[in-house]
Amino acid sequence: MFVSCILVLFGIFAIGCGGEGDTYNTYVESNEKCIPGQSFGCVCPGGITGYQVCNDFETYDTCRCQKPEPDAGTTPEASPEGDAEVDAQAEADTDAQVTPDADADAEVEAGEDSGTDAGNDANTDPILTIQGDIPENQTVAAGTVGQIFHSATFCTSQNIEVQELDYKLLGQMGGDVVANDGTPYFTNIKLIDLDFGNTLMGPMELDSNGLTGAQNIHFTDSLIMNAGECKHIAFVASIEDQEVTPGDLYGHEYQVYLNFPLEPYGLVTLADGTELKHDEISLTNHVGGEITIVAPDCPPYHAQSSLTVTEDGHPSSTIVIGGKDVWVPMARYQACAQGNEDVKLSQIGVQWRTQNGGMSAESFSLVGVAHEGSILGTAQFNNNDPYGLVDVDLSNGITIAKGDCQSIELWAKFAPVVSSTQAGGEWSHYARSGKSVSLRIGESVPFYGTDAYCNTADYAGKLFVHARGLTTGEKIFADEGAAQPSFMTVRKSKPIVTPQQLTSTVLSSGEQEIARWQVGADSNGAIAMKQTTFIVTKSANVSLSHFRLYRGSVQLPANEYWITDSVSGADLSAGTINDAATIAVSFVGEDVVSNNGNLYSLRATVGYIGSGNNVSVQFKADFPAVANPITGYLLNNDSYAPYAASPHLFNVGDYSGCNSSGPCGHSLGTFVWSDESNIPHIATTQELGGSRDWAVDQHVEVLSGHWNKSN
């Protein structure tokens, strides 16, 4: 005689056919993928139903079957008729899951129908019948209280005591039932009598230290039912309205399953104290419908908490080098909790901005939010996002005690600079040298994905900060208004200018050094020098003439450079200045500088009368008054006030999208250099086919040298 079994679909516990010592394993029924822990029906030799369990590799183990125990004859008896009904129903419940093939089904039916004997007829009708309602898929807003996830009618033919019921709450495709920080998304879980509304078992709570994606809920309250009684029992839970980490809850499907534990664990006892066998229980429709949870309706603003975000010393503008795997601080804020409870930040929306037109998302390879010097989360921009915004999830969040403040920093890594040849001459959609960019906390965009559920006008003027109160769980908003971060200029490499001390600060007659400086380059690559401009002032009794340029201790050949009065256009290599002047030192071609670079000195022949005289020289820097473009072609013999038109003076202009009559943008060439980002890089003017990688003095370090000589 065999003890047959029922199979509970998706059970964490498989309903075995007898004890572990009474089973043996046979063939694999299917190689289809499955969910680890599930058990499904399979056909054993002789047509008897067994079960197989889905393993951690998402494939089925071998079919577990009852060991044959021959009776007085040589042919085993078939399963009881009652078992056949249960087995057939269990197999029907598998729906689209893995089932035995048609031939196997036929064998099972034939074996069950032909082998019924009188000894088994007594157990044909189950004592406890659990008939689940037909599953209904629903869309439910987060924040719903007492949501029904599963319901079934329990009927008994004898007086019984239900000692335990096991359910499983499962999030599909990444949905969480418990957040990573232990916050439960489902609370006040209980079984209620739908006809009368009273609680039958529970309430229960999820394990904050348990699995995040699925948990078993084990009800152990006693439920007494009398013979002939039926109860309509529902599994209900309240849903939290706030995601701890965006994407944990909203938009995901959840289901509840009714499970039975393996014998010999107590499940149901009769009035006489004996336990029901599994073949004395009939279970159908044990799986609840799919509940899709969406964001709640827009909550009102609450007085319990408030959050302010202000500037906290944004980093200064500078040149940043593309292609380096280093974090660059871009913005710094201070967030303060000023209400009646602690506040937790879980996500920051980071937004790019540009100062000189075109898309700039491509300039960034990665952006991150940092707190106290550590990165809490990173993200990449979607180049097609019209708002230029990306959500950065904060690992474990930032908790701000009421009345306290915490810092928020936005950092970035920059993509390698793309040459104009690689970009096909395009400026937008490419990481081009010369783009001025910044990062800020997102503003003026639909507020955290709520546009599908809320009136976005309610969120106008709010920062893209996801926060909630830790006591009330309410969403908290911060107003816009913090000072805007500084713009950074992206380059392939950059010059590093270091003023040096003069060999002597005493003014005397003859050739004198009046300025001395070092020009090096970033380790990312060489740069090309074209022009450096100086402001020279002097006493009335001093004359300066025959200006010349030295590299190190050697004077450059006269045919390699020009020294020109930028206002008059006069050649100062042979001329004299009698008053203050702005002079430009420019290379005929270019001077390539790498690593520590070159030491330069400007010298002039000095004449003077009497004592108390002085000569003062300093770099001329036009930025931040510089006009666009900050990157373009070389222009010369080009009048751009206060510079004169001269073939020895160079400015920067851009003809992109313009006709040949003149540049779209024009910048004064106070300090002209190139990061050699174009291929090919050419040190000629635009009209002669020059390259568009020449730059002005914006953010060049450090054009603050000042030299004095006196007697």
Side-chain angles (χ1 to χ4, degrees):
M1 168 114 191
F2 302 121
V3 180
S4 78
C5 63
I6 65 171
L7 304 173
V8 180
L9 298 187
F10 199 84
I12 278 293
F13 305 103
I15 306 304
C17 306
E20 189 66 30
D22 298 328
T23 65
Y24 69 93
N25 296 335
T26 182
Y27 56 87
V28 176
E29 186 70 28
S30 172
N31 289 324
E32 294 186 24
K33 275 199 166 187
C34 54
I35 300 175
Q38 284 188 340
S39 60
F40 292 92
C42 55
V43 179
C44 299
I48 303 302
T49 301
Y51 71 95
Q52 56 191 150
V53 178
C54 183
N55 58 41
D56 291 338
F57 299 99
E58 299 183 353
T59 59
Y60 296 109
D61 288 336
T62 52
C63 188
R64 295 187 178 186
C65 303
Q66 179 73 26
K67 287 184 178 179
E69 295 181 6
D71 57 10
T74 58
T75 303
E77 294 180 357
S79 301
E81 181 179 349
D83 291 343
E85 293 178 4
V86 176
D87 289 346
Q89 184 61 59
E91 289 180 327
D93 286 345
T94 59
D95 298 327
Q97 306 290 346
V98 179
T99 58
D101 59 29
D103 292 340
D105 287 340
E107 291 179 16
V108 173
E109 292 172 4
E112 289 168 346
D113 291 342
S114 63
T116 305
D117 60 22
N120 292 329
D121 285 343
N123 291 330
T124 297
D125 295 325
I127 294 174
L128 175 63
T129 300
I130 304 174
Q131 175 67 48
D133 293 338
I134 297 175
E136 178 183 357
N137 298 335
Q138 302 178 60
T139 297
V140 177
T144 299
V145 176
Q147 172 64 36
I148 297 174
F149 286 83
H150 180 277
S151 60
T153 300
F154 288 60
C155 295
T156 179
S157 61
Q158 297 185 27
N159 295 335
I160 64 172
E161 177 186 1
V162 180
Q163 296 175 323
E164 60 182 71
L165 286 175
D166 284 278
Y167 288 81
K168 183 184 183 71
L169 174 60
L170 172 71
Q172 306 281 11
M173 302 299 290
D176 283 347
V177 299
V178 173
N180 286 330
D181 68 351
T183 301
Y185 286 135
F186 301 88
T187 58
N188 198 25
I189 301 170
K190 55 190 176 182
L191 300 180
I192 66 170
D193 188 325
L194 278 179
D195 296 326
F196 299 99
N198 58 301
T199 298
L200 300 175
M201 289 184 170
M204 302 285 290
E205 299 298 338
L206 297 174
D207 182 359
S208 61
N209 296 316
L211 297 175
T212 59
Q215 286 196 18
N216 294 321
I217 296 91
H218 187 61
F219 295 98
T220 57
D221 302 289
S222 176
L223 173 62
I224 304 296
M225 295 183 65
N226 298 319
E229 183 181 7
C230 293
K231 288 185 180 294
H232 195 189
I233 298 175
F235 178 106
V236 300
S238 297
I239 309 168
E240 291 295 296
D241 70 342
Q242 175 69 48
E243 295 177 307
V244 174
T245 301
D248 273 0
L249 182 67
Y250 301 162
H252 290 293
E253 296 173 352
Y254 292 83
Q255 282 184 296
V256 167
Y257 302 82
L258 175 60
N259 295 314
F260 279 97
L262 280 169
E263 293 181 298
Y265 300 140
L267 171 66
V268 177
T269 59
L270 302 177
D272 61 5
T274 61
E275 294 182 355
L276 291 182
K277 300 287 191 300
H278 282 130
D279 57 357
E280 295 174 310
I281 302 172
S282 173
L283 171 66
T284 55
N285 286 346
H286 73 293
V287 181
E290 295 177 348
I291 306 294
T292 302
I293 297 175
V294 296
D297 294 335
C298 294
Y301 296 118
H302 300 287
Q304 292 296 318
S305 307
S306 65
L307 181 69
T308 61
V309 178
T310 57
E311 177 192 14
D312 190 26
H314 293 311
S316 300
S317 297
T318 188
I319 293 173
V320 295
I321 308 302
K324 284 192 171 183
D325 188 22
V326 296
W327 285 109
V328 178
M330 300 289 290
R332 180 182 172 89
Y333 298 89
Q334 187 176 71
C336 301
Q338 297 180 325
N340 299 324
E341 61 180 327
D342 297 347
V343 172
K344 185 170 187 178
L345 310 183
S346 60
Q347 189 184 73
I348 300 292
V350 179
Q351 189 176 31
W352 63 261
R353 299 170 64 236
T354 182
Q355 192 177 34
N356 49 0
M359 297 290 289
S360 292
E362 298 84 358
S363 295
F364 302 94
S365 61
L366 199 65
V367 295
V369 175
H371 175 60
E372 296 182 344
S374 298
I375 285 286
L376 299 186
T378 63
Q380 290 178 300
F381 284 118
N382 177 354
N383 298 338
N384 297 318
D385 181 6
Y387 302 108
L389 183 111
V390 66
D391 291 330
V392 179
D393 295 331
L394 309 182
S395 174
N396 298 321
I398 301 174
T399 299
I400 309 173
K402 61 181 180 181
D404 198 5
C405 301
Q406 296 288 341
S407 66
I408 303 171
E409 296 182 13
L410 308 185
W411 292 0
K413 290 185 178 181
F414 286 84
V417 167
V418 174
S419 73
S420 61
T421 302
Q422 292 170 300
E426 289 291 327
W427 179 257
S428 292
H429 307 294
Y430 292 94
R432 295 293 303 276
S433 175
K435 285 194 172 183
S436 289
V437 296
S438 69
L439 293 181
R440 70 179 183 185
I441 294 178
E443 298 182 4
S444 305
V445 294
F447 194 73
Y448 33 108
T450 56
D451 51 330
Y453 312 103
C454 303
N455 178 6
T456 56
D458 293 341
Y459 300 93
K462 304 298 178 184
L463 289 176
F464 216 87
V465 176
H466 297 232
R468 65 184 179 90
L470 290 182
T471 300
T472 64
E474 296 169 345
K475 290 182 179 179
I476 303 167
F477 310 96
D479 292 329
E480 295 176 5
Q484 294 298 324
S486 305
F487 285 94
M488 310 294 181
T489 303
V490 183
R491 299 289 186 193
K492 178 184 175 183
S493 189
K494 68 177 180 178
I496 301 173
V497 181
T498 309
Q500 303 289 319
Q501 290 185 348
L502 296 174
T503 54
S504 173
T505 59
V506 177
L507 185 65
S508 58
S509 299
E511 182 178 291
Q512 294 283 297
E513 182 183 63
I514 59 175
R516 185 183 180 90
W517 69 101
Q518 183 96 10
V519 179
D522 183 84
S523 60
N524 215 48
I527 60 102
M529 293 295 303
K530 185 64 180 179
Q531 182 168 284
T532 307
T533 309
F534 301 89
I535 299 172
V536 180
T537 58
K538 63 181 185 63
S539 300
N541 291 332
V542 175
S543 66
L544 299 174
S545 63
H546 296 88
F547 288 82
R548 59 209 65 129
L549 179 65
Y550 279 67
R551 187 191 294 126
S553 60
V554 179
Q555 181 180 348
L556 271 67
N559 62 354
E560 291 186 9
Y561 68 96
W562 299 291
I563 299 179
T564 309
D565 186 317
S566 64
V567 176
S568 67
D571 179 8
L572 295 180
S573 62
T576 301
I577 63 170
N578 296 313
D579 299 307
T582 300
I583 65 174
V585 178
S586 52
F587 293 96
V588 174
E590 60 183 33
D591 208 39
V592 176
V593 176
S594 60
N595 299 320
N596 291 331
N598 299 326
L599 177 66
Y600 300 99
S601 62
L602 178 64
R603 303 191 184 190
T605 299
V606 178
Y608 61 89
I609 300 173
S611 61
N613 298 304
N614 67 79
V615 173
S616 177
V617 180
Q618 67 184 75
F619 287 119
K620 177 175 174 58
D622 189 53
F623 183 77
V626 65
N628 281 331
I630 59 172
T631 300
Y633 300 99
L634 284 177
L635 303 177
N636 76 333
N637 208 14
D638 173 57
S639 179
Y640 187 58
Y643 278 15
S646 167
H648 303 157
L649 295 175
F650 294 86
N651 298 321
V652 174
D654 190 359
Y655 286 83
S656 299
C658 303
N659 56 42
S660 59
S661 62
C664 294
H666 198 152
S667 294
L668 190 62
T670 52
F671 188 90
V672 181
W673 66 284
S674 172
D675 61 2
E676 300 187 308
S677 58
N678 276 13
I679 303 174
H681 164 76
I682 303 173
T684 55
T685 58
Q686 190 272 342
E687 292 87 348
L688 299 176
S691 56
R692 188 182 180 273
D693 57 5
W694 290 97
V696 295
D697 65 335
Q698 187 184 47
H699 306 323
V700 171
E701 307 164 357
V702 176
L703 296 179
S704 58
H706 200 152
W707 301 271
N708 289 285
K709 295 178 78 76
S710 61
N711 65 357

